[in-house]
Amino acid sequence: MFQPIIGFLIFFFLIIFIITSSNKSLQNKYDQIIESIKKNDLKLFIEQTTCSNTTFGMNNRDYLFRKCDFYLTSDAIIIFGYSKYNMFKQLSTPIILTKNITKYKTAFSFAIVKDPVIISLNQKEDIVIKFGEADLTKTFVKMQIKISCEANQNIIKAFTDNF
């Protein structure tokens, strides 16, 4: 009579353990990147902004998140995405968008480092980022990240003009 309840509780706690251990590992990686860019050249950071992502090609869960922390340096955009499901916060792999791929790939081999195709501001106060390529084994990603503060929009506009 109690075996199904005990089995469900064991399964539930196992899932919680897997998610928290995965998040702890990713949070350590996030902290490593943040400490490195704070020492060097952090221009702007926006925490807990909303974002919408569209992917084409091979599905990759690392690009599917609804909120993100946005960091801007002199030569890169760094995105820490996450999704929040009730009481669980599921982190995704850090994404670094830069023209200087070798610098960031060697420093942060655990992150996704890509050369962006398009980075622009649209009229709805969003930064639009497109990168990757659509294929059976590759993913093309279009992100729209909400930037509500006008001062932050001006900083991003200056970055996109020089990128």
Side-chain angles (χ1 to χ4, degrees):
M1 181 167 176
F2 290 111
Q3 287 101 359
I5 295 171
I6 293 171
F8 177 74
L9 288 175
I10 290 172
F11 176 75
F12 181 72
F13 285 118
L14 182 65
I15 295 297
I16 290 174
F17 175 74
I18 290 170
I19 290 172
T20 55
S21 65
S22 171
N23 282 346
K24 191 176 213 179
S25 171
L26 282 169
Q27 187 62 49
N28 290 338
K29 293 174 183 177
Y30 283 16
D31 293 340
Q32 181 182 353
I33 293 173
I34 291 168
E35 287 301 316
S36 175
I37 62 174
K38 278 186 178 178
K39 290 177 188 174
N40 296 333
D41 60 342
L42 179 64
K43 304 289 184 210
L44 171 71
F45 73 95
I46 304 168
E47 294 182 327
Q48 299 181 2
T49 186
T50 58
C51 119
S52 90
N53 302 336
T54 307
T55 61
F56 302 97
M58 186 175 107
N59 284 338
N60 190 334
R61 72 171 198 86
D62 290 326
Y63 303 121
L64 301 176
F65 45 84
R66 298 178 192 265
K67 293 220 175 245
C68 69
D69 295 339
F70 179 87
Y71 289 80
L72 183 69
T73 67
S74 61
D75 64 345
I77 293 174
I78 302 169
I79 300 168
F80 300 121
Y82 62 92
S83 296
K84 194 161 185 171
Y85 303 106
N86 295 332
M87 62 183 184
F88 298 115
K89 183 177 180 181
Q90 182 63 46
L91 302 177
S92 67
T93 305
I95 300 170
I96 302 173
L97 303 170
T98 183
K99 298 279 187 196
N100 194 354
I101 292 177
T102 54
K103 171 187 169 185
Y104 286 95
K105 195 70 158 167
T106 55
F108 311 113
S109 61
F110 51 83
I112 298 170
V113 181
K114 297 283 186 178
D115 184 7
V117 176
I118 295 173
I119 300 175
S120 63
L121 281 169
N122 66 10
Q123 290 80 18
K124 295 188 284 183
E125 304 173 345
D126 294 341
I127 182 169
V128 178
I129 302 170
K130 297 179 183 179
F131 63 93
E133 57 185 86
D135 196 355
L136 290 174
T137 59
K138 297 177 183 168
T139 306
F140 179 80
V141 180
K142 178 184 175 190
M143 292 183 176
Q144 287 187 302
I145 301 172
K146 184 76 168 167
I147 310 294
S148 57
C149 178
E150 190 172 330
N152 292 345
Q153 290 174 5
N154 293 335
I155 293 170
I156 292 170
K157 179 72 174 154
F159 176 82
T160 58
D161 291 343
N162 296 327
F163 199 72

